[in-house]
Amino acid sequence: MMNKNKFESEDDLDDKKLTKAKSAFLFKRAIFRKILSWLFLTLLIIYILYTSHLLFYTDRRHNCLVAEEHLKAFSNDSSLQPVDEVKCSDNDDAEPVIIRKSPGYDTELKHIVFGIAASSNLWEKRKEYIKVWWRPNVTRGIVWVDKQVKARPGEGLPGIRVSEDIDKFNFTNRIEQKLPMRISRVVSETFRLGLKDVRWFVMGDDDTVFLPENVARVLSKYDHRQFYYIGSISESHIQNIFFSYSMAFGGGGFAISYPLAKELQRMQDRCIKRYEGLFTSDDKIQACMAELGVPLTKEMGFHQYDVYGDLLGLLGAHPVTPLVSLHHLDVVQPIFPDKDRVQSLRHLFNSAKQDSASVMQQSICYDKNKYWSITVSWGYVVQIVRGIMSPRELETPTRTFLNWYKRADYTAYTFNTRPVMKNPCQKPFVYYITTLNYDRSRNQTIGVYRRPSKTTDPLCRWRMQSPDTISSIVVLKQPDTRRWEKSPRRDCCRVLPSVKNSTMHIWVGGCREGEVSEVARH
């Protein structure tokens, strides 16, 4: 009995152990199923998130690449300099980066055609002005005359054509209207020649002297595919009132973009008939521009120079803009005292050949030891004044010239001026450029400036040292052909140590960080 109960108890134990083992197995299987389900669900969620993000990134990347390709296609236009660039980052969260580049158009001299209005009566004299700036096989253009003139082979002049007969215009005063009517049509007649690869037409007179490289620099700022009428007004307030502050004065030259010239030549003959009462060709052109709805875009480097006398005050304090043109050279004095007008221009163009972008650009500095104020109009003149004058004064033109209307006073100019100093101690010592050479090894120009041969110094009783001890000034400067691709700023200059007391050395160039034209007053 005892043994039987013992066996039964052992069987019960085995059954219990089996039941527990089975329960444990079922529990573990249930746990495994739950873990497997959660793992599957987690992977599914991760997959969904991954694929949606991939689609989002691909779309962004696609859009970025589309933008990049669009700008590349846009920049393939040969008339444009590189435009904005789009950089697509590999970072998923990064937006496309647009790199801004300075706007501009690669306009060159080959894209510009000059139309020069000339008179047969003055041709033999004024053609010498054209020879100064004309560059055969480089510049393009036509001289338009009222009747045939003598042309000698190898003179270095543009082609010469006789203007169309304008007797078809039934104007009232035939004599007075014939000249302005003819000149006003120069751009249209030049356009109708059908010249290829033209972006701009530049109009000027036979006594207008252009700096061709600076013409191209100025026009490169503008989109030649749009309507542009670019030039400047007169220096005389009264002239601008008589004619218009919205008119480009043709003596200083003006530029018309190709599409605008195309529209102008279509309607100009009808237009000028409506404005027979306007006195000048410039007036008539501006009236047609008004009908086309195109305003004047002003560039201060085009100089009409409606003045008499000496241009030293104007050219010695030229505005911070490229020198584009000079005009009325028969009226003003030669810009270099020891030379005639044509010789003076040739001498100036020696400077322009070395650094046309910087010619006439003013710099202001001080000799702190001698207490002198110094201005450099690069390639033209250096002036030394006793005492300290502020840059604000020195950058204001001195009235070495007279108004076009001789009875008008200094308030009749369109810009600020200052009087010529009456105190003999404040008279500037003026040094004109005599030689200019380029040192290739140092990549710098070396200009020597001297006083004119017939110069007398006024008596001054000030105790400070006089600049009359300085016989020559040497100006060192590196050419900067791309200066106008940056924001406009005057160059800085510094007085350098000199071995000889009779020679002053000056460095001219871009300003360093923190450099200012100032000197402490005692």
Side-chain angles (χ1 to χ4, degrees):
M1 191 71 183
M2 294 271 306
N3 291 333
K4 184 178 180 181
N5 292 336
K6 182 178 180 180
F7 290 134
E8 288 178 356
S9 62
E10 289 178 354
D11 291 339
D12 292 339
L13 288 173
D14 291 339
D15 291 338
K16 289 179 180 179
K17 288 180 180 180
L18 184 61
T19 303
K20 287 182 178 180
K22 187 176 181 180
S23 299
F25 171 77
L26 293 173
F27 177 75
K28 289 179 180 180
R29 188 171 67 175
I31 294 296
F32 176 76
R33 285 180 176 175
K34 288 182 179 180
I35 292 173
L36 191 62
S37 299
W38 280 107
L39 180 61
F40 176 77
L41 184 60
T42 303
L43 291 174
L44 180 63
I45 293 172
I46 292 173
Y47 176 76
I48 292 173
L49 291 174
Y50 173 77
T51 53
S52 63
H53 183 269
L54 181 64
L55 288 172
F56 175 76
Y57 172 74
T58 303
D59 184 62
R60 175 188 292 174
R61 182 75 177 176
H62 173 72
N63 291 339
C64 182
L65 291 173
V66 167
E68 188 174 9
E69 289 300 319
H70 173 73
L71 284 179
K72 282 182 180 178
F74 185 68
S75 65
N76 284 336
D77 185 345
S78 61
S79 67
L80 298 177
Q81 288 183 354
V83 293
D84 298 345
E85 284 187 1
V86 175
K87 293 297 182 182
C88 300
S89 172
D90 291 332
N91 183 356
D92 296 354
D93 297 325
E95 293 292 333
V97 178
I98 298 178
I99 300 176
R100 298 289 180 188
K101 294 192 175 182
S102 58
Y105 303 85
D106 58 345
T107 295
E108 302 175 17
L109 281 176
K110 66 180 181 180
H111 301 126
I112 300 169
V113 173
F114 292 89
I116 304 167
S119 165
S120 58
N121 294 332
L122 299 171
W123 175 244
E124 287 301 316
K125 179 180 180 181
R126 294 202 171 165
K127 70 179 182 180
E128 299 302 322
Y129 292 138
I130 301 174
K131 288 180 184 179
V132 171
W133 64 271
W134 189 258
R135 295 168 57 188
N137 302 320
V138 178
T139 44
R140 305 169 66 188
I142 300 293
V143 175
W144 296 94
V145 292
D146 51 330
K147 60 184 178 181
Q148 193 62 50
V149 296
K150 292 181 180 179
R152 302 175 183 88
E155 276 196 289
L157 289 166
I160 302 172
R161 288 177 177 263
V162 178
S163 299
E164 292 179 6
D165 184 11
I166 58 171
D167 287 337
K168 62 183 179 181
F169 296 101
N170 296 318
F171 33 74
T172 305
N173 192 328
R174 188 174 296 274
I175 296 176
E176 288 187 2
Q177 286 296 318
K178 195 165 186 177
L179 177 62
M181 195 78 73
R182 179 181 74 84
I183 294 176
S184 68
R185 300 176 74 248
V186 163
V187 172
S188 294
E189 289 192 54
T190 307
F191 179 90
R192 290 174 187 143
L193 295 176
L195 302 175
K196 303 298 182 182
D197 197 22
V198 179
R199 298 182 183 179
W200 296 93
F201 294 93
V202 176
M203 162 80 182
D205 290 346
D206 49 8
D207 63 339
T208 306
V209 172
F210 290 103
L211 278 77
E213 288 80 7
N214 286 346
V215 173
R217 285 188 178 97
V218 168
L219 297 183
S220 289
K221 298 191 299 183
Y222 301 97
D223 186 350
H224 56 275
R225 301 164 301 181
Q226 308 298 325
F227 283 11
Y228 276 108
Y229 166 50
I230 300 172
S232 188
I233 58 176
S234 172
E235 292 77 16
S236 170
H237 175 57
I238 300 175
Q239 281 280 84
N240 292 318
I241 291 176
F242 280 170
F243 298 103
S244 174
Y245 266 98
S246 301
M247 181 187 85
F249 279 68
F254 60 83
I256 294 179
S257 60
Y258 184 90
L260 180 56
K262 186 176 181 179
E263 288 298 315
L264 177 66
Q265 63 89 25
R266 286 175 177 170
M267 55 82 74
Q268 187 175 21
D269 287 351
R270 303 193 309 273
C271 173
I272 56 180
K273 286 182 182 179
R274 292 190 284 273
Y275 298 100
E276 183 180 338
L278 296 180
F279 181 68
T280 68
S281 59
D282 304 335
D283 245 351
K284 296 176 188 298
I285 290 175
Q286 193 276 325
C288 296
M289 292 297 170
E291 291 195 359
L292 289 168
V294 180
L296 173 64
T297 299
K298 295 177 183 177
E299 282 286 346
M300 294 189 297
F302 291 88
H303 295 299
Q304 172 73 8
Y305 282 147
D306 282 339
V307 296
Y308 295 96
D310 190 352
L311 291 180
L312 174 63
L314 289 168
L315 297 179
H318 193 271
V320 187
T321 191
L323 175 66
V324 175
S325 66
L326 303 168
H327 184 231
H328 278 151
L329 298 169
D330 286 342
V331 176
V332 297
Q333 298 173 11
I335 59 177
F336 290 101
D338 295 337
K339 304 180 186 301
D340 64 27
R341 289 177 173 84
V342 175
Q343 290 173 343
S344 293
L345 291 169
R346 289 173 183 161
H347 192 50
L348 177 65
F349 268 74
N350 289 334
S351 300
K353 288 176 184 177
Q354 299 294 347
D355 190 359
S356 58
S358 299
V359 70
M360 293 294 180
Q361 295 306 306
Q362 186 187 35
S363 305
I364 297 173
C365 52
Y366 301 93
D367 188 325
K368 299 180 181 180
N369 296 324
K370 297 183 176 67
Y371 219 54
W372 294 343
S373 300
I374 303 166
T375 67
V376 180
S377 179
W378 188 86
Y380 176 51
V381 73
V382 177
Q383 300 180 72
I384 303 177
V385 182
R386 295 182 183 94
I388 300 301
M389 296 180 67
S390 69
R392 190 170 188 265
E393 295 173 281
L394 294 173
E395 71 178 8
T396 304
T398 307
R399 290 194 294 275
T400 60
F401 46 89
L402 298 173
N403 198 282
W404 195 248
Y405 298 88
K406 294 183 179 180
R407 293 186 178 181
D409 62 12
Y410 67 92
T411 62
Y413 297 110
T414 56
F415 49 88
N416 294 326
T417 61
R418 59 188 174 98
V420 175
M421 294 297 183
K422 295 181 179 180
N423 187 330
C425 295
Q426 293 180 299
K427 296 283 185 183
F429 286 72
V430 182
Y431 300 76
Y432 292 93
I433 192 164
T434 56
T435 61
L436 181 66
N437 297 300
Y438 176 65
D439 184 345
R440 189 176 300 276
S441 62
R442 297 184 179 181
N443 186 31
Q444 70 178 7
T445 57
I446 304 171
V448 179
Y449 298 69
R450 290 191 173 92
R451 302 180 73 189
S453 55
K454 298 178 182 180
T455 302
T456 56
D457 299 322
L459 178 63
C460 173
R461 300 186 183 279
W462 286 5
R463 294 181 180 179
M464 71 170 57
Q465 186 172 343
S466 173
D468 62 6
T469 58
I470 304 296
S471 61
S472 63
I473 299 175
V474 178
V475 177
L476 309 176
K477 183 186 182 302
Q478 289 187 338
D480 188 5
T481 58
R482 305 189 68 177
R483 64 179 300 153
W484 300 112
E485 296 176 17
K486 299 172 282 189
S487 61
R489 185 184 183 184
R490 266 199 332 260
D491 278 335
C492 286
C493 65
R494 304 176 204 126
V495 178
L496 304 175
S498 298
V499 177
K500 296 181 180 180
N501 292 331
S502 61
T503 303
M504 173 183 283
H505 287 78
I506 298 176
W507 176 91
V508 171
C511 301
R512 297 176 296 195
E513 184 176 357
E515 187 169 8
V516 183
S517 299
E518 65 178 351
V519 66
R521 296 179 182 270
H522 299 300

